[in-house]
Amino acid sequence: MPRKVSYGVDYDEEYDDYEDYDVDYDLDVEDNGNIPQSKQETIKRGIWRCSICTYDNDESLSVCDICGVLRNPLINYGAGSDKKTARFKFDAPSPDDLVFDGLHSSKKVSKANSTDLKSSRVSSSIDQNIGVVGIKSSADRADISSSLMRKGRHHSEDGSNYSKNGTGNMPSSDKSSVSPAALTIKGRPDAIDESSSSSMSRGNPRSLTNSLNKMALDAGSGLSKNGNARVTRSNTKYKPENWMLPGQAEDTLNQLNLAIVGHVDSGKSTLSGRLLHLLGRISQKEMHKNEKEAKLQGKGSFAYAWALDESTEERERGITMTVAVAYFDSKKYHVVVLDSPGHKDFVPNMISGAAQADAAVLVIDASVGSFEVGMDSAKGQTREHAQLIRSFGVDQIIVAVNKMDAVDYSKERFDLIKQRLGTFLRSCGFRDSSIILIPLSAMENQNLVAAPSDVRLLSWYHGPYLLDAIDSLQPPMRDFSKPVLMPICDVLKLSSLGQVSACGKLEAGALRSGSKVLVMPSGNVGIVRSLERDSQACSFARAGDNVAVSLQGIDGSLLTAGGVLCHPDFPVAVAKHLELKVLVLDVTTPILIGSQLEFHVHHAKEAARMVRMLSLLDPKTGKVTKKAPRCLTAKQTAVVEVALQGPVCVEEFSSCRALGRVFLRALGRTIAVGLVTRIIEEQD
Ligand code: GTP
Ligand code: MG
């Protein structure tokens, strides 16, 4: 039953040059577990070539300067272990770089060809002929591939629904397309908590917490004189009908959207696969199949990860490239697992998946060297993911300190990681009380769904196991009584019947068959034909649910990922000129007027340009410290104006958090997080 959402990366034929860039990615592992010198190093004295991206690094670097991969991957796991693994390989250029360079992304993917990738998520009865609606959003004009594809499959208890043409048969080109980013957390005790005044952030005036808190508090104040360019939608007149509100008597589990994030190779997919298997969501039959096939490819250690990494490309490379969606039930929650890619080139995909998160599991590789790489300020995705997750509004985080077997379940190692990570997470704005750290081993099944059995861990760890920790999370708050709002993360089309479905998380309100919805930005009204949650038909869906909404009366080409379904009387705004309050992250190059950016809001992504820098703000007080700064540098908070190449569905943060959180990226890195403070120019 786990399904896989595909947010991938396409490249145009203009990028065929990259084929010349291919290298032999098969990383041989000798019997002694070492990588042969000839592949690992070479060419010239003083230079070593990265086996992953082929960049020639200086001898002094222990980590690839380009892709952040360890020079000497840890092959041996713990004393006495005979486990070996070939490391992942990667050859695709960054989608962000394509955008930045103004080059055309997107290989011409035949949507029809990719049909079998995207089946099961919409309908268990729809297994074939499903194509993704070509996404012709404004992002296309911006040379950003905005198409979102869902590839999926069912895993029934007996594995009988396992797609025979699963993604494994796809040509590698078909798996991709950059997902527009998405930040859609709404209604939870939010991002911007009151912790700015808490003890943890007090000592760190420049912390992300402080800055974000301040930004949130000020977001509605409207720094500019001009009012909103449009009539703000009014929630005051809206009255939800009875069925829209959860009844006391209802006996259904709360849905919890759980993003699994962390640095590349930390074991996110293995952990997710292991959990699903332990909880009976992956059949024995399917596990055997994965094990057999993984072994045949010399990647036996990836068997659990393959439950989520479905495509040929992901499996060959040994990395997740797209967000996988799977489900399991704990005592308290119906958990939606969003297994994100860790590689830096797929951060836009991670953003899109994590946008739907209510809480997150940050997976850490405890191995010596690997944790440190993840925390590297320039290349570590542990840092970037934690910052992104926090600024999405996620404030509950479980840190899964994985691969403890590789460090002999050492308490000292765990304590060191706990101490370093704790400091960092606090600086991101997570409260101590909302951080749960758990030592575990996905590979050896220690501390996942039961207390550990290994005495080395049992001797010093007496806290909760992972499933326990998930159940201890606070239920997310939902906007049931607001007009319906669903940012579209994916569009599916059943070509044979002409049916179209929009997939995403309902941020507010409720839907049922027959409900009218306004599809933005096209402005057309459609009627809900049917709804599916977790591949099962359902009669209604409410805020927080991750659903596929089948629509009638809508031309499929008008539905786009990055668009929004909303109440016909409460349309969202569509705009391309915005005022933002941003917090600049750890950038090395200052942001200038004219800087080219990649703008992310919920599942939409658009090329943008910095057009004005209005003021710098004191991160503590929010007061203007300087007007019209000439540039923005790391950790500064500022009010700026950006012009987007094409319009996006957006709202001011003060009126709608889900559509008001933005991220700015450039050169493949997230350079700023922020909030929409004003819509300057609304599209008609
Ligand atoms: P990306 O999605 O590409 O970022 O990687 P990931 O974080 O999903 O990692 P994945 O699950 O693909 O695992 C990467 C490697 O780590 C595989 O070789 C796994 O076998 C190995 N691995 C995962 N968990 C453990 C663990 O608990 N112990 C050990 N020793 N190895 C592990
Ligand atoms: Mg993975």
Side-chain angles (χ1 to χ4, degrees):
M1 63 96 288
R3 65 180 187 171
K4 172 91 172 163
V5 170
S6 167
Y7 314 100
V9 184
D10 286 354
Y11 301 102
D12 207 53
E13 60 264 345
E14 288 175 49
Y15 249 70
D16 282 348
D17 285 351
Y18 273 86
E19 281 163 20
D20 299 333
Y21 205 63
D22 276 350
V23 287
D24 178 7
Y25 290 110
D26 279 327
L27 190 59
D28 293 346
V29 179
E30 291 177 345
D31 283 347
N32 59 9
N34 294 328
I35 298 171
Q37 191 70 8
S38 58
K39 294 219 172 178
Q40 184 196 90
E41 301 273 316
T42 21
I43 22 183
K44 279 189 225 150
R45 261 199 119 103
I47 299 279
W48 62 276
R49 173 163 292 179
C50 175
S51 56
I52 306 302
C53 70
T54 71
Y55 183 73
D56 294 338
N57 291 283
D58 192 81
E59 186 70 46
S60 60
L61 298 171
S62 58
V63 169
C64 175
D65 205 24
I66 294 297
C67 70
V69 160
L70 282 175
R71 178 182 181 182
N72 294 311
L74 292 167
I75 301 294
N76 292 318
Y77 291 110
S81 167
D82 61 351
K83 287 178 198 139
K84 301 167 209 160
T85 178
R87 304 295 279 195
F88 74 82
K89 28 201 185 139
F90 178 76
D91 64 358
S94 160
D96 295 325
D97 293 348
L98 299 186
V99 173
F100 190 82
D101 295 336
L103 295 168
H104 220 334
S105 65
S106 294
K107 199 174 262 179
K108 295 283 182 282
V109 177
S110 154
K111 299 298 181 190
N113 286 349
S114 49
T115 53
D116 54 346
L117 286 183
K118 305 155 195 94
S119 52
S120 56
R121 33 208 61 168
V122 166
S123 168
S124 44
S125 58
I126 301 172
D127 281 329
Q128 292 166 10
N129 300 327
I130 296 177
V132 170
V133 174
I135 312 293
K136 288 286 164 216
S137 74
S138 51
D140 286 344
R141 291 192 297 282
D143 298 326
I144 303 166
S145 164
S146 66
S147 63
L148 273 183
M149 297 194 294
R150 290 190 164 205
K151 58 194 173 195
R153 64 175 190 213
H154 294 287
H155 301 257
S156 64
E157 293 305 303
D158 65 359
S160 58
N161 275 343
Y162 183 79
S163 164
K164 294 273 187 292
N165 336 312
T167 54
N169 293 338
M170 286 302 299
S172 59
S173 59
D174 281 2
K175 74 171 315 269
S176 39
S177 90
V178 176
S179 129
L183 308 177
T184 54
I185 312 307
K186 185 165 176 161
R188 73 178 49 85
D190 227 347
I192 319 274
D193 53 49
E194 267 65 60
S195 61
S196 61
S197 57
S198 74
S199 57
M200 67 187 70
S201 54
R202 232 174 265 141
N204 185 1
R206 306 194 73 179
S207 73
L208 194 62
T209 322
N210 278 343
S211 312
L212 282 171
N213 286 347
K214 199 59 224 158
M215 284 163 60
L217 294 172
D218 292 349
S221 60
L223 288 160
S224 308
K225 295 270 187 292
N226 295 339
N228 199 336
R230 65 186 269 273
V231 181
T232 317
R233 66 178 179 155
S234 158
N235 286 344
T236 50
K237 282 186 209 141
Y238 178 75
K239 279 221 171 70
E241 296 168 39
N242 279 346
W243 66 270
M244 295 177 169
L245 306 171
Q248 302 282 322
E250 275 176 39
D251 190 23
T252 47
L253 289 172
N254 253 333
Q255 181 156 316
L256 183 79
N257 298 286
L258 191 64
I260 316 293
V261 299
H263 193 66
V264 65
D265 244 4
S266 53
K268 298 177 291 298
S269 305
T270 304
L271 179 62
S272 307
R274 197 44 132 154
L275 264 182
L276 293 166
H277 183 236
L278 289 167
L279 297 171
R281 303 297 288 190
I282 298 175
S283 67
Q284 233 15 65
K285 188 175 158 193
E286 189 182 336
M287 255 335 289
H288 281 144
K289 186 174 182 283
N290 285 346
E291 271 167 32
K292 207 170 115 193
E293 289 176 3
K295 266 193 197 141
L296 270 176
Q297 283 197 28
K299 291 189 166 72
S301 70
F302 283 89
Y304 285 104
W306 278 20
L308 296 120
D309 295 339
E310 295 182 300
S311 72
T312 309
E313 204 168 353
E314 285 178 315
R315 290 180 172 190
E316 276 177 3
R317 291 178 174 172
I319 58 167
T320 305
M321 297 164 75
T322 63
V323 177
V325 181
Y327 308 82
F328 67 80
D329 285 349
S330 67
K331 274 188 221 146
K332 197 167 146 193
Y333 293 114
H334 178 59
V335 180
V336 182
V337 175
L338 300 154
D339 175 36
S340 311
H343 196 283
K344 73 182 177 76
D345 283 7
F346 297 100
V347 170
N349 294 353
M350 173 269 171
I351 289 177
S352 200
Q356 301 172 42
D358 299 312
V361 175
L362 176 65
V363 182
I364 303 294
D365 181 345
S367 316
V368 178
S370 301
F371 165 67
E372 286 74 9
V373 174
M375 290 296 286
D376 183 284
S377 61
K379 301 184 196 79
Q381 266 60 61
T382 303
R383 291 175 77 94
E384 188 173 11
H385 283 198
Q387 285 170 331
L388 284 169
I389 274 284
R390 183 65 187 93
S391 38
F392 288 150
V394 173
D395 61 1
Q396 303 186 80
I397 193 163
I398 296 172
V399 181
V401 183
N402 189 31
K403 306 199 190 181
M404 284 299 290
D405 57 301
V407 292
D408 287 331
Y409 297 99
S410 155
K411 180 174 185 314
E412 288 67 40
R413 181 68 178 159
F414 178 73
D415 287 344
L416 181 135
I417 291 171
K418 185 174 172 180
Q419 188 259 322
R420 279 196 59 192
L421 207 60
T423 310
F424 172 69
L425 291 177
R426 281 192 290 274
S427 78
C428 291
F430 290 100
R431 280 172 288 187
D432 270 346
S433 57
S434 306
I435 305 171
I436 310 173
L437 273 106
I438 304 179
L440 51 83
S441 166
M443 194 57 93
E444 298 195 343
N445 182 19
Q446 291 297 318
N447 226 4
L448 301 186
V449 299
S453 56
D454 193 301
V455 284
R456 289 172 295 178
L457 182 55
L458 201 55
S459 62
W460 58 267
Y461 182 75
H462 309 290
Y465 47 85
L466 182 61
L467 196 61
D468 246 359
I470 292 172
D471 268 333
S472 73
L473 296 170
Q474 291 301 311
M477 281 160 64
R478 309 288 191 201
D479 283 330
F480 296 117
S481 54
K482 287 193 176 169
V484 69
L485 183 78
M486 188 183 99
I488 303 170
C489 105
D490 200 358
V491 176
L492 300 157
K493 186 166 76 170
L494 181 63
S495 44
S496 57
L497 298 178
Q499 282 181 11
V500 281
S501 294
C503 305
K505 178 185 165 198
L506 268 180
E507 287 297 338
L511 284 176
R512 66 178 173 185
S513 304
S515 298
K516 271 190 190 168
V517 285
L518 180 66
V519 179
M520 295 296 274
S522 75
N524 293 69
V525 175
I527 294 176
V528 176
R529 183 201 304 261
S530 60
L531 291 159
E532 284 204 7
R533 195 191 297 122
D534 188 2
S535 303
Q536 305 287 326
C538 54
S539 50
F540 62 86
R542 294 195 183 115
D545 288 344
N546 212 303
V547 286
V549 184
S550 169
L551 294 171
Q552 61 189 43
I554 282 284
D555 180 343
S557 63
L558 299 174
L559 266 188
T560 55
V564 171
L565 295 187
C566 55
H567 191 291
D569 298 335
F570 298 89
V572 297
V574 178
K576 57 185 226 177
H577 193 176
L578 305 165
E579 180 190 273
L580 312 175
K581 188 176 290 185
V582 295
L583 169 65
V584 182
L585 301 180
D586 290 326
V587 293
T588 44
T589 316
I591 305 173
L592 307 169
I593 290 172
S595 287
Q596 296 293 319
L597 307 162
E598 186 183 309
F599 176 90
H600 292 253
V601 60
H602 54 96
H603 299 280
K605 183 163 90 166
E606 189 57 71
R609 199 164 50 86
M610 181 68 69
V611 288
R612 280 183 81 195
M613 295 182 180
L614 301 173
S615 55
L616 282 182
L617 305 179
D618 181 316
K620 270 202 266 185
T621 62
K623 290 207 173 115
V624 174
T625 54
K626 184 173 183 179
K627 286 197 174 155
R630 295 177 62 169
C631 67
L632 301 181
T633 55
K635 299 199 170 90
Q636 286 184 327
T637 306
V639 180
V640 300
E641 280 180 23
V642 291
L644 314 187
Q645 200 155 334
V648 292
C649 294
V650 69
E651 288 286 353
E652 289 174 7
F653 181 80
S654 56
S655 62
C656 178
R657 292 184 172 200
L659 299 196
R661 283 200 176 89
V662 301
F663 294 81
L664 302 179
R665 289 176 55 82
L667 286 173
R669 285 200 70 81
T670 307
I671 58 169
V673 296
L675 314 168
V676 178
T677 46
R678 189 166 64 99
I679 293 171
I680 296 170
E681 176 203 327
E682 190 178 353
Q683 304 295 296
D684 291 331

